[in-house]
Amino acid sequence: MVQQEDEHIERLKTCTKLIFDALAIISQKASVLHMETVKEAADHLHVMELDLRRELFKVRLKKSILANRMKQTQA
């Protein structure tokens, strides 16, 4: 579970960096880019970020439930 959590965190960091980099490129070059394509690509990155956050939440929830069960069996 810890390894899964770490992987999701790393993927989320990468996705967030890509979003920030894309926004920087858009800020610098918006006048020469096709706006519909830019919006669509940015939207896909955002959806991916949301999916990664959801998956990370699921792993953390499972981990918390498992930790609680382990405490109960030790008591």
Side-chain angles (χ1 to χ4, degrees):
M1 291 294 243
V2 172
Q3 188 176 15
Q4 277 184 328
E5 182 181 26
D6 290 346
E7 183 177 336
H8 284 310
I9 289 169
E10 204 52 45
R11 292 186 72 200
L12 186 56
K13 284 181 184 177
T14 299
C15 188
T16 302
K17 172 110 175 77
L18 286 171
I19 289 170
F20 282 120
D21 289 350
L23 292 173
I25 292 168
I26 293 165
S27 174
Q28 294 170 355
K29 305 206 183 245
S31 61
V32 296
L33 298 173
H34 185 264
M35 276 304 107
E36 284 304 309
T37 304
V38 167
K39 290 176 184 176
E40 192 175 326
D43 190 50
H44 284 292
L45 282 171
H46 180 63
V47 168
M48 183 178 183
E49 179 189 27
L50 294 174
D51 289 344
L52 289 169
R53 287 187 187 282
R54 186 178 310 110
E55 289 303 313
L56 178 59
F57 173 77
K58 288 178 185 179
V59 169
R60 286 179 170 166
L61 179 60
K62 286 179 186 177
K63 191 174 143 187
S64 295
I65 292 168
L66 182 60
N68 178 265
R69 286 183 184 157
M70 290 174 68
K71 286 179 189 175
Q72 288 181 353
T73 58
Q74 293 175 353

